[in-house]
Amino acid sequence: MSVVRDPASLDLSEFLRPGDQVVIGQACGEPPTLVEALLEQAADIGDLTAFIATSFSGAFTPDAAAGVRVRSMGAIGTLRSLAAAHALEVISCHVGRVGPMIESGALRCDCAFVQVAPADRDGAHSLGLISDHVLEAVCAARVVVAEINDQVPRTRGATIAHEQIDYAVEVSRPPVTVAPARIGPVDEAIAAHAAAYIGDGAVLQVGVGAVPEALLRMLGDRKDLGVHSGMVGDGLVDLVEAGAVTNARKKIDTGISVTGALIGSRRLYDFADDNPALRMFPATYTHDPAVLAQLDDLVTINSAVQVDLTGQVNAEQHGSSYLGGTGGQVDFVRGGTRSRGGHAIIGLPATAKGGSVSRISAALAGPVTTARSEVDIVVTEFGAAELSGCTLGERARRLTAIAHPDFRADLEQAAAEIMKRGF
């Protein structure tokens, strides 16, 4: 039976031990009351580690997190400030592997901090805004602490039973929200090139941010679009209301938008509340190659820090700056390229740092997130480079053509060397 604790007097030392690793619900499913208590009390308990995949709450600042070791699969959202302060330990893994790593013990979970909606009449708590690896964390943890928030939507999909909760903290506070990104002319140009690959009946995987927001705004005239994505934002609501998203042509999950994370505003959360046309799944389903292989006309859109002239994608790091993460990019690139009629698009601005650095480069300044053998289409504001079936020399030529004109001369020289060698 769950022990109910008052959030104002919550003492984590009641169940946390020195040396414990806490796995925390991520993104907009982050339990803010529990996180605030952890950051305030961690130093007194001693030797605590927190794993959180992404964070948008702003709670994890270098000063606030000084008493706990913070680990993540990337510097996504406000975790980037920790990475810049060298206060973030990065575990390199794909989203779809986090749950299995917790299950196997490779990623230890002594305590799970989760946010859920109030129980339904059967005593089941909806996971609300995030369902990626929550179930694995709940099953693996010695102690499960749930922030039960009556402002969290009761979404269809995965639930946990009240009996699985060891300590319950009942609150009523707005969950974390993420404002729509500001869309500029470059974002719109990238989105326009990507939109050309999306026809009626396509199944979409998109992230959140300026380019995805711009892209979704351009698809209101499409018919019978489907959604199967690791995350969705407010743009989904727009497309459903426009009649563009029906999921009617999907061979699996027909009539249902599938996702693992809701990242957006209260409007999105209200839309998702008890909506039978939206279902939350764990990452072992949303990112599963066997599931993705059943989706025809799957078009996936992902971002990058940098792409080299042979098509290698770096979505993580530039020099000593860690900027992103592995995320689900590889899973969805493979899914898009293997889908009948599908595509996998990598979209990025042609330059960074005010136009002083080309993001199409002769060599990467960071790790290879997605291998060149997987990459299908790369899009910048200057066009689309279709790479499948091309020689390395032809790839270099096509990628140079979508680089910013200020950098093409140097890239053409590097491309000529690749074409001369053949590799």
Side-chain angles (χ1 to χ4, degrees):
M1 188 173 182
S2 303
V3 177
V4 179
R5 287 289 178 259
D6 180 356
S9 57
L10 182 61
D11 182 1
L12 302 186
S13 66
E14 184 177 357
F15 46 79
L16 282 184
R17 305 169 183 169
D20 274 352
Q21 176 156 294
V22 183
V23 174
I24 303 171
Q26 64 145 333
C28 298
E30 183 177 326
T33 304
L34 298 180
V35 167
E36 289 161 5
L38 177 66
L39 296 179
E40 290 171 2
Q41 300 176 34
D44 293 333
I45 297 171
D47 195 25
L48 293 180
T49 301
F51 176 87
I52 183 165
T54 64
S55 178
F56 299 104
S57 68
F60 286 93
T61 64
D63 289 340
V68 60
R69 298 172 68 182
V70 182
R71 292 175 176 169
S72 181
M73 62 180 185
I76 302 171
T78 56
L79 294 181
R80 189 172 289 185
S81 67
L82 293 185
H86 302 149
L88 182 71
E89 299 178 358
V90 176
I91 297 175
S92 183
C93 63
H94 302 301
V95 171
R97 289 293 305 152
V98 176
M101 287 169 62
I102 292 172
E103 194 173 43
S104 71
L107 182 60
R108 206 174 81 246
C109 178
D110 301 301
C111 181
F113 280 6
V114 300
Q115 177 180 249
V116 297
D120 61 20
R121 67 182 65 182
D122 297 318
H125 294 271
S126 166
L127 298 184
L129 300 172
I130 194 80
S131 64
D132 48 8
H133 50 265
V134 175
L135 289 179
E136 288 93 343
V138 166
C139 291
R142 183 187 74 245
V143 180
V144 176
V145 187
E147 184 166 330
I148 302 174
N149 188 349
D150 64 8
Q151 296 191 44
V152 167
R154 184 178 284 121
T155 53
R156 302 288 183 96
T159 62
I160 61 173
H162 193 72
E163 292 75 19
Q164 292 177 277
I165 298 170
D166 297 304
Y167 291 86
V169 180
E170 297 178 349
V171 304
S172 181
R173 59 186 294 179
V176 175
T177 57
V178 175
R182 292 183 179 180
I183 298 171
V186 170
D187 306 309
E188 290 180 335
I190 296 169
H193 291 301
Y197 293 94
I198 301 171
D200 293 344
V203 180
L204 303 178
Q205 176 269 319
V206 296
V208 294
V211 171
E213 290 282 346
L215 174 63
L216 295 179
R217 292 182 186 182
M218 296 177 180
L219 302 179
D221 62 344
R222 304 301 199 271
K223 296 180 176 61
D224 292 330
L225 293 176
V227 173
H228 183 109
S229 189
M231 63 185 73
V232 296
D234 285 31
L236 170 65
V237 186
D238 295 330
L239 288 180
V240 170
E241 292 180 348
V245 166
T246 66
N247 293 287
R249 301 190 195 180
K250 288 168 67 177
K251 290 185 176 179
I252 59 171
D253 303 314
T254 308
I256 298 171
S257 292
V258 168
T259 189
L262 301 176
I263 300 177
S265 71
R266 188 72 233 184
R267 176 175 177 241
L268 174 65
Y269 305 164
D270 291 341
F271 165 82
D273 189 39
D274 200 30
N275 187 341
L278 176 71
R279 194 166 182 86
M280 304 289 288
F281 283 89
T284 49
Y285 185 85
T286 56
H287 294 66
D288 184 357
V291 173
L292 297 176
Q294 299 176 64
L295 295 167
D296 292 346
D297 301 310
L298 174 64
V299 181
T300 69
I301 300 97
N302 289 275
S303 61
V305 172
Q306 195 179 33
V307 177
D308 79 4
L309 286 178
T310 68
Q312 296 185 120
V313 176
N314 166 20
E316 302 171 61
Q317 183 176 344
H318 191 277
S320 62
S321 298
Y322 204 92
L323 305 171
T326 49
Q329 182 176 113
V330 173
D331 296 322
F332 285 121
V333 166
R334 288 175 175 169
T337 56
R338 286 156 177 75
S339 167
R340 181 180 303 168
H343 290 292
I345 299 170
I346 299 292
L348 73 166
T351 61
K353 296 185 177 180
S356 64
V357 175
S358 177
R359 295 175 72 167
I360 304 294
S361 60
L364 297 183
V368 176
T369 305
T370 300
R372 62 193 185 188
S373 55
E374 305 280 4
V375 176
D376 180 23
I377 299 168
V378 177
V379 171
T380 72
E381 65 268 36
F382 295 102
E386 298 181 359
L387 304 183
S388 292
C390 292
T391 65
L392 295 180
E394 179 61 18
R395 282 173 169 238
R397 188 189 69 79
R398 293 187 180 197
L399 286 164
T400 297
I402 64 167
H404 192 285
D406 290 351
F407 297 94
R408 287 182 192 167
D410 289 342
L411 291 172
E412 284 170 356
Q413 291 183 5
E417 288 298 313
I418 294 173
M419 297 182 76
K420 182 178 178 181
R421 293 192 305 264
F423 55 88

